[in-house]
Structures are given as C-alpha cells and as structure tokens.
Amino acid sequence: MIKRKQTKQITIGNVKIGGNAPISVQSMTNTDTRDIKSTINQINDLYEAGCELIRLAILNEEAAEAIKEIKKKSPIPLIADIHFDYRLALKCINNGIDALRINPGNIGKEEHTKKVVDAAKKNNIPIRIGINGGSLEKEFDNLTVPLHEKMVMSAMRHIKILENNDFYNIKVSLKSSDVITTIEAYRLISQKIEYPLHLGVTEAGTLKGGIIKSAVGLGTLLAEGIGDTIRVSLTDNPIEEVKAAFMILKSLNLRTKGINFISCPTCGRTQINLINLAKEVEKRLENFEKPLTIAVMGCAVNGPGEAKHADYGIAGGIKEGYIFKKGEIIKRLPEEKLIDEFINIIRTESL
C-alpha cells in the first residue's frame, strides 16, 4: 500500500486537494474560451469521462468575461490559466472562478500582485504556482545547477511572494517535457514544502508516447507518495487525458472508479481472436462506473486460474470461450456469442 505524503489540504470549488483527499483528475479545454457554448459542451463531455477539475485559457478580457456564463453551467470547478496580466485574474475572480493558475512574479508590479492576492484571499480562491522547465525566468539562465534545481528555486521564489502577502492557499506544479527532470523537481520540492502538488509531464506528446511518458513520470512519483492532483498532457482530445489519468491511478490502487481491465498477451496457444475480443470488451465497458476487475484471457492456461481474482472474465478455447466469475466457469459459448452474453451478465448482475 502506498503511503502518501500528507500535505496541507486546500479546496477548489467542491473538490478537496491534499491531506487525505483522493488524488483528483484534471484536464484543460482546448476550445476558445470566448466560445461559451463549445467550451461548456467540452466541459460536460470531460465531466462524463470523469474529469474533476477543468482549466481554461484566459487570453484576454473577453475570455475572462465568458467565465461568468461558463461558471453557471459547469458541473465541475473552473481554474483560470493566466499569464502576465493581473487584470484578467481580477476579472475572473469577480466572475466566479474557483482557482487561479498564475505565477505572482510574472504579473508586474508588487501592487498588482497584492491586488490579485487580496482578491483571492477575500474569495477563498487558491492559486497554483505553475513552473515549466522550458520557460523559467531569465535570472536562472546562467546558474550552473541542474534544471530541476532551477525549477525548485523559481517555485520557492513565487511561493515566497505569496507568503509575504500572508497568502497560503497554494498549490504547486513543476513540469518539464523531460521525465527525469520532472521526477527530480517534484522529489526536491516535496522535501521543502507542505503545499499540495499538482503532477504532470508537460508537452508529453501524442496519445501513445504521451501516455507512456506520463505513466513513467507520474507513476514513479505517485508510487513514492508524492502528488495530490494530476493532469496527463496529451496532443489529443482532452477526454483521452482523463482516461489515461484514471488508468495510472487505478494501476497503483489510488482510485477505484470504473473497470480495472486485464488481458493476457497473445501467443501460439491462442485459438480465438483475442485482440479484437479484448478491444471490444474494453470499449463497451469504458463508461461503466462500478469498480470491477474484468479479465479477457486467451486460453485455458491463462484463463480462470491466473485470473481467478477477477470479478468476471473470458477464457478462450478453440473458436469458443468460457465465461467465468471469481474463477468459476459459468458458461461456454461459441466465439461469436461471447461478447454480447459477457456484457449482458456483467450489466445484469452489477445493477
């Protein structure tokens, strides 16, 4: 069992982060925030996929103004992603945003920072300090220390600005596109602060490569007990980010929502179309919310025996298959009838 580091708990909308709260799943809309209808539609789709917090890019005043209407219809808390312009942060706060992602050292004069901090404090709005390895302040360029140490220095600088303004409702992220740099940065900051950490490998890439990089980076940290909320950053539909995040969390037994799907690799013993069978079962159950372990196994060797811990499973035969429940065979069917009956049994018995 993973022993998580106990961090200070903060609240974004109705979602608790840190402390003993479950690790939450975030994503970010890729719509134009000014397009209220499209943005709300995507938020709803992400919510249906399991997303618990959503970040929106606030590029200008019109986008900040759109928060007012988006907030009214969003089923999950909203986080405004803002760079440089403190006025956008103030407008988002006035329009009901639940949290900010803004680096206080990058928004100009000290008086501007104080205005944002005072407004956030008054409205109980957390601020995420988001450090990216590829866009550190110029003052760190010539330091002869590893990148992950520069990232931590930058984070500590921004944290100090907030703390000097008597603000402690803070969450921190230190992302790099390099997995090792990301891991080392989070390990180091975790030793220095008690604020909750938002994990992510930034610019991870397209679907397959991005999931692998994120699984290695986030999985390593989560297994060490580091991290309170995560985003898997992919060049793809944001729904894929949410799916991947839950797969990573479920693989470490940190979340249990939905199906835990297991299937064996193909080999020369397999005499059933295992690849198509496994893909179709996983597809049909991808939105099933009850936490079940489902197995699709290729033959009797890897069938009910090795997968006896599964709640339900299929074991392949010669152009046929066996449906089993907790290791006990309950039905034998031709290959073409397996999937429909298998799904029917799961849905009927799991109501």
Side-chain angles (χ1 to χ4, degrees):
M1 185 175 179
I2 294 171
K3 184 178 180 181
R4 292 175 58 196
K5 177 186 173 179
Q6 291 297 294
T7 54
K8 175 184 176 180
Q9 190 170 89
I10 65 171
T11 303
I12 298 179
N14 60 355
V15 178
K16 294 188 182 302
I17 296 171
N20 293 315
I23 295 168
S24 57
V25 172
Q26 300 189 29
S27 186
M28 187 171 182
T29 55
N30 59 13
T31 57
D32 185 334
T33 306
R34 295 171 298 181
D35 184 344
I36 294 172
K37 183 178 179 181
S38 294
T39 301
I40 290 170
N41 286 342
Q42 188 171 70
I43 291 172
N44 285 329
D45 289 343
L46 286 162
Y47 170 70
E48 290 297 322
C51 186
E52 293 159 320
L53 295 159
I54 191 72
R55 184 156 49 108
L56 300 91
I58 307 299
L59 302 178
N60 49 41
E61 285 198 22
E62 192 178 346
E65 188 60 33
I67 291 298
K68 186 182 297 182
E69 292 303 314
I70 295 170
K71 173 65 178 174
K72 291 177 183 177
K73 297 182 179 179
S74 175
I76 52 179
L78 306 177
I79 302 169
D81 189 276
I82 296 166
H83 295 272
F84 309 121
D85 192 341
Y86 80 100
R87 293 167 298 183
L88 297 180
L90 294 175
K91 184 176 279 288
C92 285
I93 291 172
N94 289 337
N95 287 336
I97 202 72
D98 297 292
L100 297 173
R101 189 276 195 188
I102 188 167
N103 289 346
N106 294 345
I107 55 175
K109 300 176 182 177
E110 186 176 332
E111 62 191 81
H112 295 165
T113 300
K114 190 174 189 320
K115 286 181 179 180
V116 173
V117 170
D118 287 347
K121 192 186 304 182
K122 180 180 178 180
N123 291 276
N124 195 29
I125 291 174
I127 293 176
R128 168 157 77 93
I129 293 170
I131 305 301
N132 278 0
S135 56
L136 292 179
E137 301 93 318
K138 289 184 179 180
E139 65 193 80
F140 298 107
D141 285 347
N142 296 323
L143 295 180
T144 56
V145 297
L147 177 56
H148 74 272
E149 292 187 23
K150 295 180 184 180
M151 293 168 66
V152 172
M153 290 178 187
S154 176
M156 297 303 292
R157 170 176 171 265
H158 291 292
I159 289 169
K160 190 67 175 174
I161 291 171
L162 293 182
E163 291 179 339
N164 285 344
N165 282 277
D166 196 30
F167 188 89
Y168 306 94
N169 197 0
I170 301 169
K171 181 175 64 169
V172 181
S173 68
L174 301 96
K175 300 181 181 182
S176 169
S177 57
D178 180 77
V179 174
I180 298 300
T181 299
T182 298
I183 291 170
E184 294 300 334
Y186 279 109
R187 281 175 175 165
L188 183 57
I189 198 77
S190 181
Q191 297 169 11
K192 294 178 176 289
I193 64 173
E194 300 298 319
Y195 296 117
L197 296 176
H198 167 68
L199 301 188
V201 176
T202 193
E203 300 145 8
T206 52
L207 187 63
K208 290 183 180 179
I211 288 177
I212 290 171
K213 287 175 72 173
S214 296
V216 172
L218 275 61
T220 298
L221 292 164
L222 291 167
E224 295 176 6
I226 297 171
D228 302 284
T229 179
I230 68 172
R231 179 195 176 191
V232 175
S233 299
L234 301 174
T235 311
D236 210 296
N237 188 320
I239 288 174
E240 298 296 340
E241 298 185 351
V242 176
K243 291 179 183 178
F246 272 105
M247 288 174 68
I248 292 169
L249 293 172
K250 285 192 289 188
S251 72
L252 293 166
N253 295 322
L254 290 168
R255 294 293 295 264
T256 58
K257 180 180 178 181
I259 298 296
N260 175 31
F261 186 80
I262 60 175
S263 61
C264 66
T266 57
C267 74
R269 290 191 299 267
T270 305
Q271 299 187 58
I272 195 169
N273 194 335
L274 179 63
I275 295 174
N276 286 350
L277 189 67
K279 286 181 177 179
E280 183 64 20
V281 170
E282 187 175 37
K283 180 181 178 181
R284 292 209 201 176
L285 294 174
E286 67 178 355
N287 294 321
F288 196 81
E289 293 198 1
K290 189 167 182 179
L292 295 174
T293 297
I294 302 296
V296 178
M297 315 299 280
C299 69
V301 173
N302 288 335
E306 285 196 21
K308 62 185 177 183
H309 63 287
D311 296 293
Y312 298 92
I314 290 174
I318 302 175
K319 303 301 179 184
E320 65 177 9
Y322 303 87
I323 296 175
F324 58 91
K325 179 180 177 181
K326 296 290 187 182
E328 297 295 325
I329 294 173
I330 58 175
K331 279 200 175 183
R332 174 181 174 181
L333 293 164
E335 182 176 356
E336 64 272 14
K337 294 184 178 180
L338 262 178
I339 293 179
D340 286 342
E341 182 60 19
F342 186 56
I343 300 299
N344 181 58
I345 288 172
I346 293 170
R347 293 193 180 280
T348 301
E349 295 191 3
S350 300
L351 291 175

